[in-house]
Amino acid sequence: MLDHRRLTILIALALGLWLGATAFIRLLPAALSDPIWVSASFAAMAPLGWLSVQVIGRLAGLKGPDLLAGVAVVGAVAMMIDGLVLAWRPEVYAPTQSGARLGGAWLLWGYGLSLGIALWMSRANTK
């Protein structure tokens, strides 16, 4: 169950993960613009997505269906922040529109992958 304490933890995790991803996009622009690095950055999201789901579950004390719900809360909060920043302050991610677009693509990939991993993990824990 996602009680008030767990929701607070999940929102804090969303902010922390958002800040980390934003720092990555901002400080390592070549990781999303260079053809070799971008492939590595997208591939690295598989273990990072798995790790983030593990951290979310452990810190918020979530298992089974609650794990998927918790990851969805974290993703929803972070995606709403991304939407606002990409619409009104894309320079937070990168000094160019192209850089912000590439960062947005990487973020979407990471959110989708993390949600898929959480779905798989939550189904595996209910059997």
Side-chain angles (χ1 to χ4, degrees):
M1 171 114 191
L2 299 182
D3 56 22
H4 179 72
R5 183 185 72 78
R6 285 189 172 107
L7 283 172
T8 302
I9 291 168
L10 294 170
I11 292 168
L13 286 168
L15 293 172
L17 291 169
W18 178 81
L19 283 171
T22 300
F24 174 78
I25 294 166
R26 181 72 184 183
L27 299 174
L28 296 170
L32 298 173
S33 60
D34 178 80
I36 294 172
W37 279 101
V38 75
S39 297
S41 295
F42 272 68
M45 285 310 297
L48 289 174
W50 179 85
L51 181 62
S52 69
V53 171
Q54 291 288 330
V55 168
I56 290 165
R58 186 168 303 243
L59 292 180
L62 303 173
K63 293 182 181 183
D66 288 341
L67 177 63
L68 179 58
V71 172
V73 168
V74 170
V77 170
M79 283 187 267
M80 287 188 287
I81 296 169
D82 287 326
L84 293 171
V85 173
L86 284 167
W88 283 285
R89 292 280 187 237
E91 65 275 6
V92 167
Y93 295 108
T96 65
Q97 288 292 322
S98 175
R101 179 183 54 80
L102 293 170
W106 179 75
L107 289 166
L108 288 170
W109 171 259
Y111 291 132
L113 198 56
S114 296
L115 286 168
I117 290 167
L119 176 61
W120 177 74
M121 285 180 166
S122 68
R123 291 175 52 106
N125 287 334
T126 59
K127 292 182 180 180

